[in-house]
Amino acid sequence: MDWSNPSWAGFAVAFCSLGTTGESVSKGLLCLCGTLLGAVVALTLLALFPQDRWLFMAAMVSWVAFGTYRLLGTPHWYFWHVAGFVVPLLSLSSGPFGLNAFETVVLRTQQTALGFLCFSLVWLFLWPSSTAPTFRATLRRLVDLQRQLLALQLDLANGGNDDASTNRLTQQAASTRVSLADLFDGAVIDSLDIGEHRGAWQRCVALLGQTSDRLALWHESL
């Protein structure tokens, strides 16, 4: 298509392709939405500060700092990751000529959308792989880890010794909890059963997260 930076479309595929259809589509949607937000912010900054380079740099750094802050404590961190780094990428890649900025932003958005569309169609029609089995297995693993932690802490409350297995199980539960949150978004997309009962599953994941927090606080108190 005679694009100046065709590698952007390839990068969109490489960065968003994961192990299952739902995970890939979910991350692709986050990438596309983050690119759209970053494109709007980039054009806004270029329009507000066309000649004030230091004000432009200060505003751009502030936006990147805000995006970095939003990475913390959200399961949709990749959206803010993309929205943050796309702004300096688009703002600086357009060069010193302001007329190139809009074309560069449109080109980046088109190529990201094309990459997302291509790998989504490949996943859906050629190699469909549901996230639901992995999601359910991860959920069962988290429940099992919490059961083991509860047993160890009950033993500690009855006068037992605190050993290294508690810290090991706590770390495993924490990593499994993060994986469960990521898998949930994918399972909602490619699983009809989980999608129809999304609210109940979401409450279940939230309660398991609260259980992990309570177990950690209880262990510190003991």
Side-chain angles (χ1 to χ4, degrees), residues 30-72:
L30 293 176
C31 179
L32 183 59
C33 293
T35 300
L36 291 174
L37 178 60
V40 172
V41 173
L43 289 178
T44 302
L45 295 182
L46 290 171
L48 291 176
F49 311 107
Q51 301 296 333
D52 301 316
R53 67 182 67 181
W54 292 111
L55 288 177
F56 169 78
M57 292 296 294
M60 184 177 66
V61 170
S62 299
W63 171 257
V64 174
F66 174 73
T68 304
Y69 169 75
R70 291 291 296 170
L71 292 176
L72 304 174

Side-chain angles (χ1 to χ4, degrees), residues 42 44 74 82 95 101 120 155 157 172:
T44 302
T74 173
V82 174
S120 297
D155 180 68
Q172 292 178 1

Side-chain angles (χ1 to χ4, degrees), residues 101-182:
F102 183 77
E103 182 180 354
T104 302
V105 168
V106 171
L107 184 65
R108 172 76 183 197
T109 305
Q110 286 178 338
Q111 293 189 21
T112 302
L114 177 64
F116 168 67
L117 177 63
C118 286
F119 81 77
S120 297
L121 293 177
V122 168
W123 269 118
L124 290 173
F125 294 109
L126 296 183
W127 298 299
S129 178
S130 177
T131 314
T134 307
F135 170 74
R136 290 191 174 93
T138 304
L139 188 142
R140 287 192 294 267
R141 172 172 171 76
L142 180 58
V143 171
D144 183 63
L145 288 171
Q146 290 179 348
R147 186 187 300 113
Q148 296 179 49
L149 280 170
L150 180 60
L152 288 174
Q153 293 185 15
L154 287 173
D155 180 68
L156 181 62
N158 291 325
N161 295 323
D162 188 18
D163 53 17
S165 60
T166 303
N167 292 330
R168 176 177 54 82
L169 289 174
T170 301
Q171 294 175 0
Q172 292 178 1
S175 62
T176 305
R177 176 183 174 183
V178 173
S179 301
L180 185 67
D182 294 336

Side-chain angles (χ1 to χ4, degrees), residues 191-214:
S191 174
L192 182 62
D193 176 62
I194 295 178
E196 287 181 346
H197 304 88
R198 176 176 182 173
W201 282 108
Q202 193 170 19
R203 289 191 297 272
C204 177
V205 172
L207 287 172
L208 286 174
Q210 294 175 14
T211 302
S212 294
D213 294 336
R214 296 298 184 274

